[in-house]
Amino acid sequence: QVQLQESGPGLVKPSGTLSLTCAVSGGSISSSNWWSWVRQPPGKGLEWIGEIYHSGSTNYNPSLKSRVTISVDKSKNQFSLKLSSVTAADTAVYYCARVNGVNGHYMDVWGKGTTVTVSS
Amino acid sequence: EIVLTQSPATLSLSPGERATLSCRASQSVSSYLAWYQQKPGQAPRLLIYDASNRATGIPARFSGSGSGTDFTLTISSLEPEDFAVYYCQQRSNWGYTFGQGTKLEIK
């Protein structure tokens, strides 16, 4: 079955750019699904960051839109997240997830998550 | 933005008891509501989608109901492994939002 694996630096300096990749295995990123990023600050709830379709179409959380870029690399079967101008408030566990279907409303497959700390 | 409000924040029950968790939306989400379970150090796990459909492999003791703005997740008889945090989630034109979570703890 489809599995997702996040990777990227665990430590990012304030004002820098957070960059993460989600590798998709057991299935194709070009399937009829959207692919999302979700984060969870320590001890807090879940926040949706944005999503991408294999065509390159994207949707972003309005509160993060000015700082977020999500891209897809079909040749590597992966998608990526860039979050610019980070502060300590961006410290969180970052998850990638599959949205079920083209018109999906829920996330049925999740990566294990990767912790990113913003600190000098 | 559609806000999801979960109640209670914490629910203390014993194994074998019935758990009822609530999620209220600030405006109608039709039946497009999902429930997730999250255990410490783990990713969220999809339990229920479209308000009342169990995800693959989810035990029958989990059930969801509701439509419009009021939704309920019911666990009919708690097993030790059910003690966790539960989140509801919706999708609208503005994107996805999650409730703040209900922590189900052992009494």
Side-chain angles (χ1 to χ4, degrees):
Chain A
Q1 73 269 21
V2 173
Q3 293 185 308
L4 306 178
Q5 179 66 59
E6 305 90 347
S7 61
L11 181 64
V12 181
K13 287 183 166 44
S15 78
T17 297
L18 179 160
S19 297
L20 297 174
T21 295
C22 180
V24 179
S25 60
S28 173
I29 202 166
S30 296
S31 59
S32 300
N33 298 283
W34 287 75
W35 304 90
S36 264
W37 286 98
V38 175
R39 70 179 182 179
Q40 185 171 37
K44 296 189 177 181
L46 301 164
E47 180 181 34
W48 176 70
I49 300 170
E51 64 181 354
I52 191 163
Y53 197 67
H54 60 77
S55 63
S57 295
T58 54
N59 295 303
Y60 297 132
N61 185 325
S63 68
L64 297 169
K65 188 174 183 177
S66 63
R67 298 194 292 131
V68 174
T69 302
I70 298 176
S71 60
V72 64
D73 186 334
K74 289 185 283 187
S75 68
K76 294 183 178 178
N77 216 37
Q78 64 186 35
F79 61 108
S80 299
L81 167 70
K82 289 189 186 299
L83 181 66
S84 63
S85 304
V86 296
T87 69
D90 296 309
T91 293
V93 176
Y94 285 75
Y95 297 100
C96 57
R98 184 182 77 172
V99 177
N100 184 274
V102 176
N103 298 308
H105 297 84
Y106 55 91
M107 301 167 204
D108 61 351
V109 179
W110 293 68
K112 287 180 165 46
T114 188
T115 299
V116 178
T117 302
V118 178
S119 175
S120 55
Chain B
E1 175 186 323
I2 296 178
V3 176
L4 298 178
T5 303
Q6 292 186 240
S7 61
T10 304
L11 185 57
S12 300
L13 294 170
S14 301
E17 289 193 292
R18 181 185 186 89
T20 303
L21 287 67
S22 175
C23 178
R24 176 163 289 178
S26 59
Q27 56 186 281
S28 177
V29 298
S30 185
S31 294
Y32 297 132
L33 188 101
W35 290 94
Y36 300 85
Q37 176 193 68
Q38 188 179 35
K39 296 180 180 179
Q42 296 185 16
R45 173 194 180 197
L46 177 68
L47 297 175
I48 301 287
Y49 65 93
D50 292 349
S52 61
N53 296 293
R54 271 191 305 277
T56 303
I58 301 303
R61 64 181 181 273
F62 290 91
S63 63
S65 63
S67 66
T69 60
D70 290 301
F71 299 87
T72 300
L73 173 69
T74 301
I75 310 171
S76 59
S77 179
L78 286 165
E79 297 288 341
E81 62 267 27
D82 297 337
F83 292 91
V85 179
Y86 293 82
Y87 294 96
C88 57
Q89 169 255 308
Q90 68 81 35
R91 167 73 192 260
S92 68
N93 290 338
W94 295 274
Y96 300 83
T97 55
F98 293 87
Q100 82 280 15
T102 289
K103 182 179 181 180
L104 180 54
E105 64 177 25
I106 299 177
K107 187 174 182 180

